[in-house]
């Protein structure tokens, strides 16, 4: 079997209660038949246009030869460094595929000027820009981050006397604005299936083109997925997708006596690198709407939540051999999962769609994603004066959504006031709008905040989380409090043809999202802007505890 799942304790009781109805209502075979009525009348129109992922393996097979031929041509020309400019579903899946396969793929899913420069400059070992190919990946063809990266690379290639059409490859939906302009300009274009939503696109051109050009064995990945398709299509209690859906969502419905609507995603010794980040986007964006949803929390095996076990948190542990892990009593009540990467993609996509049915929502739309984008556009056009800081301390500017959060005048006091706003069933979301290549240690802040606040805590690099968990933040339960980390730096990069720079863009994205959360949804927001490049950020927070 290419996918294995084990449940025990309370979660087994939930599965035993929910699974029979999923089997008797023929949900698995209904999804395989692409029945758009499964999620109710309100979702039928959207679902009718978003079930193409069910056929992704067969539809994508013909792409493999074309991708392999293009890679061979590029390698023959000495072009061995692949950079992917994409956001959300356009970058998370290929990142996991490449990392798990052990092949280098540079991901540019940020508007941080420092990250943009790193992608443009490369390094001596990889050959830099002279040996670089850029894959521009955007389903809509109008994603501002991806368009900005494309403009920057086009200018950089021209500065080296290189024709950008020889170095840039486009992946987009047929008929998108990017599809039309790229073909007109002479770029090589791969079209994806327009009936597949971005977060369900791992096994389409969006996942396969950048990963294949980087050197991943795509046939092996598709074979892994193919081996699981029959299992998930059968209306049987052994169907792993039905079991997983019941396990993650059965205890999250509003009528559940011991409601667990948060999923702690732990990678514990598995060979799959970065899979929790892909699952996080799939679940958060698919279910976080209409005031409900499942909140994925990517954690370490030794995270505070593992020790404290909040009552509303369900732990999902990704391991190499679930059949062995389930024998240990310490994992009682956890969901234990193992399997190949292709199988994981298929089962999680099915399970997430089924979870949407259990929660009574449309798992294929994202009604709140656009709000932060609109706020960003408004800030870039109006160019308002920056909101003044409530106070400055220890090389940090502190801004708050309301004055009571800053009453103490200290960073420790502000954080304590923010944690005090977390409801008993709430969560903390950390949003880091910084150069993650320069500050990778900042992700360790999640563990400190989880311990200090006593509640499940998520961590997202901005602005990429806006294309994933950003939907849950605005459309899910109104129980979150938000801590933004931004930076002030002298490094900036022009965006050719635009009246704003990358630095101005990421600043507007952070401010726009904070405004939507605070003003539009009444959520508490604290923004800490790092002004000292030598500041030891984690030490600052440790001192504030």
């Amino acid at each position: 079997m290419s996918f294995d799942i084990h449940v025990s304790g309370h979660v087994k009781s939930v599965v035993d209660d929910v699974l029979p109805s999923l089997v008797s209502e023929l949900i698995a075979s209904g999804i395989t038949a692409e029945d758009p009525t499964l999620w109710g009348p309100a979702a039928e129109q959207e679902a009718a246009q978003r079930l193409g992922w069910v056929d992704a393996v067969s539809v994508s097979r013909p792409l493999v030869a074309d991708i392999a031929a293009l890679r061979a041509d590029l390698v023959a020309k000495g072009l061995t460094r692949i950079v992917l400019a994409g956001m959300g579903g356009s970058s998370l899946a290929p990142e996991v595929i490449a990392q798990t396969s052990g092949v280098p793929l540079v991901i540019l899913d940020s508007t941080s000027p420092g990250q943009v420069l790193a992608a443009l400059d490369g390094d001596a070992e990889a050959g830099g820009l002279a040996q670089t190919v850029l894959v521009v990946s955007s389903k809509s063809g109008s994603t501002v981050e991806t368009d900005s990266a494309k403009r920057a690379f086009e200018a950089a290639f021209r500065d080296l006397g290189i024709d950008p059409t020889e170095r840039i490859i486009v992946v987009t939906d047929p008929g998108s604005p990017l599809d039309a302009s790229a073909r007109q300009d002479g770029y090589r274009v791969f079209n994806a299936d327009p009936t597949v939503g971005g977060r369900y696109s791992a096994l389409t051109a969006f996942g396969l083109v950048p990963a294949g050009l980087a050197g991943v064995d795509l046939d092996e990945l598709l074979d892994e997925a193919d081996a699981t398709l029959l299992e998930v299509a059968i209306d049987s209690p052994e169907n792993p997708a039905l079991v997983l859906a019941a396990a993650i969502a059965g205890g999250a419905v509003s009528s559940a006596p011991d409601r667990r609507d948060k999923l702690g995603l732990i990678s514990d010794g598995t060979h799959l690198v970065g899979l929790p980040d892909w699952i996080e986007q799939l679940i958060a964006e698919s279910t976080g709407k209409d005031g409900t949803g499942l909140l994925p929390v990517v954690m370490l095996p030794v995270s505070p939540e593992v020790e404290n076990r909040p009552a509303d948190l369900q732990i999902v542990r990704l391991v190499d051999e679930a059949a062995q892990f389930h024998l240990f009593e310490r994992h009682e009540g956890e969901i234990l999962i193992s399997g190949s990467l292709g199988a994981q993609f298929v089962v999680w996509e099915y399970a997430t769609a089924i979870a949407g049915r259990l929660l009574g929502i449309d798992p294929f739309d994202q009604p709140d994603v656009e709000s932060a984008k609109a706020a960003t556009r408004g800030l870039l056009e109006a160019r308002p004066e920056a909101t003044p800081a409530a106070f400055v301390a220890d090389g940090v500017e502190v801004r708050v959504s309301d004055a009571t959060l800053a009453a103490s005048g200290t960073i420790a006091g502000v954080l304590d006031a923010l944690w005090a706003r977390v409801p008993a069933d709430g969560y903390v979301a950390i949003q880091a709008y910084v150069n993650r290549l320069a500050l990778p240690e900042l992700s360790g802040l999640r563990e400190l905040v989880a311990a200090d606040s006593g509640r499940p805590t998520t961590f997202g690099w901005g602005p990429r989380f806006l294309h994933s968990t950003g939907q849950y933040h605005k459309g899910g339960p109104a129980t979150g409090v938000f801590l933004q980390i931004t930076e002030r730096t002298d490094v900036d990069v022009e965006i050719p043809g635009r009246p704003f720079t990358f630095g101005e863009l990421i600043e507007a994205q952070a401010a726009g999202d904070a405004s939507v959360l605070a003003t539009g949804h009444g959520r508490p927001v604290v923004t800490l802007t790092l002004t000292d490049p030598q500041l030891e950020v984690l030490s600052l927070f440790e001192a504030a505890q």
Side-chain angles (χ1 to χ4, degrees):
M1 180 181 291
S2 55
F3 186 94
D4 198 7
I5 177 170
H6 284 269
V7 296
S8 60
H10 65 267
V11 69
K12 185 178 186 304
S13 299
V14 170
V15 171
D16 290 343
D17 287 341
V18 174
L19 192 56
S21 63
L22 295 177
V23 174
S24 64
E25 292 167 8
L26 308 180
I27 303 304
S29 59
I31 292 177
T32 303
E34 301 182 34
D35 179 0
T37 68
L38 294 174
W39 297 272
E44 185 172 346
Q45 182 177 358
E46 181 78 23
Q49 307 171 57
R50 288 290 179 262
L51 285 166
W53 51 272
V54 172
D55 300 317
V57 173
S58 59
V59 170
S60 296
R61 286 286 188 187
L63 282 175
V64 175
D66 290 342
I67 296 170
L70 178 55
R71 171 174 164 76
D73 181 57
L74 296 175
V75 170
K77 296 176 180 177
L79 305 178
T80 55
R81 179 175 180 261
I82 307 298
V83 177
L84 170 61
M87 302 296 294
S90 297
S91 63
L92 286 168
E95 183 174 42
V96 173
I97 296 169
Q99 288 180 334
T100 297
S101 300
V103 302
L105 174 63
V106 179
I107 303 293
L108 179 56
D109 58 357
S110 176
T111 49
S112 161
Q115 278 185 247
V116 174
L117 278 177
L120 285 168
D121 293 343
D123 55 61
E125 184 176 335
L129 195 63
Q131 292 179 255
T132 294
V133 171
L134 176 72
V135 179
V136 175
S137 189
S138 171
K139 180 175 177 61
S140 68
S142 58
T143 307
V144 64
E145 298 94 339
T146 308
D147 174 74
S148 298
K150 176 174 176 287
R151 291 168 179 267
F153 269 83
E154 285 174 330
F157 283 135
R158 290 191 181 106
D159 286 345
L160 289 181
I162 297 171
D163 183 351
T165 63
E166 297 177 357
R167 296 298 188 88
I168 296 179
I169 295 154
V170 172
V171 184
T172 189
D173 276 0
S176 75
L178 178 59
D179 185 43
S181 64
R183 291 184 185 279
Q184 181 177 343
D185 293 341
Y187 288 110
R188 173 69 184 269
V189 178
F190 286 87
N191 284 141
D193 185 346
T195 66
V196 180
R199 57 190 176 275
Y200 291 83
S201 66
L203 297 172
T204 73
F206 287 107
L208 302 183
V209 171
L213 294 180
V216 172
D217 184 338
L218 299 181
D219 281 318
E220 180 180 2
L221 179 69
L222 293 177
D223 286 346
E224 293 170 355
D226 198 27
T228 311
L229 290 177
L230 181 59
E231 292 181 63
V232 299
I234 298 175
D235 299 299
S236 161
E238 283 71 47
N239 183 325
L242 294 180
V243 175
L244 180 56
I248 64 174
V253 296
S254 58
S255 59
D258 299 312
R259 191 160 185 251
R260 289 179 171 83
D261 62 354
K262 299 171 185 66
L263 301 177
L265 301 173
I266 299 174
S267 184
D268 193 352
T270 176
H271 67 288
L272 307 178
V273 183
L275 184 60
D277 292 324
W278 176 81
I279 296 172
E280 177 186 46
Q281 187 225 4
L282 177 67
I283 291 180
E285 196 169 49
S286 296
T287 70
K289 60 200 71 171
D290 300 334
T292 189
L294 300 170
L295 177 68
V297 184
V298 178
M299 302 171 3
L300 298 174
V302 294
S303 291
E305 296 96 327
V306 177
E307 179 70 24
N308 300 331
R309 301 280 174 151
D312 53 348
L313 179 74
Q314 174 62 58
I315 289 181
V316 181
R317 194 178 295 268
L318 306 174
V319 300
D320 263 350
E321 293 290 343
Q324 294 180 10
F325 265 73
H326 85 283
L327 299 175
F328 295 96
E329 289 185 7
R330 67 179 178 270
H331 300 309
E332 182 78 10
E334 298 183 347
I335 302 169
L336 301 174
I337 292 172
S338 60
S340 65
L341 183 57
Q344 296 274 3
F345 285 149
V346 170
V347 176
W348 278 101
E349 287 173 353
Y350 264 80
T352 301
I354 299 165
R357 176 184 167 90
L358 291 173
L359 294 171
I361 51 91
D362 177 357
F364 305 114
D365 67 349
Q366 51 276 330
D368 300 288
V369 167
E370 180 60 28
S371 58
K373 297 178 184 179
T376 296
R377 289 193 295 268
L379 289 171
L380 289 171
E381 292 169 0
R383 301 295 180 91
E385 291 293 324
T387 304
F391 63 88
V392 180
D394 301 318
V396 178
E397 295 179 357
V398 181
R399 292 176 173 79
V400 295
S401 56
D402 64 78
T404 60
L405 287 168
S408 70
T410 67
I411 294 176
V414 168
L415 296 178
D416 286 342
L418 186 62
W419 311 157
R421 298 281 190 92
V422 185
D425 61 346
Y427 66 96
V428 180
I430 305 171
Q431 305 171 339
Y433 287 86
V434 301
N435 177 358
R436 65 169 164 150
L437 301 180
L439 290 170
E441 70 277 6
L442 200 60
S443 61
L445 183 58
R446 197 212 74 83
E447 309 299 318
L448 294 175
V449 170
D452 199 26
S453 68
R455 290 301 298 158
T457 300
T458 67
F459 182 94
W461 296 107
R464 83 173 190 174
F465 76 83
L466 293 176
H467 298 257
S468 56
T469 51
Q471 166 62 44
Y472 183 98
H473 294 160
K474 303 167 188 71
T479 58
V481 305
F482 299 87
L483 174 62
Q484 285 191 343
I485 311 293
T486 66
E487 63 179 339
R488 182 154 296 122
T489 172
D490 293 334
V491 177
D492 206 351
V493 180
E494 298 290 328
I495 304 176
R498 295 298 189 198
F500 50 84
T501 65
F502 277 101
E504 291 167 334
L505 174 55
I506 195 170
E507 183 178 333
Q509 289 176 308
D513 195 41
S515 175
V516 171
L517 289 168
T519 304
H521 296 274
R523 314 281 168 89
V525 182
V526 168
T527 301
L528 305 181
T529 300
L530 312 179
T531 61
D532 181 359
Q534 305 303 316
L535 181 67
E536 293 289 341
V537 182
L538 294 189
S539 298
L540 174 70
F541 276 84
E542 288 168 347
Q545 285 185 305

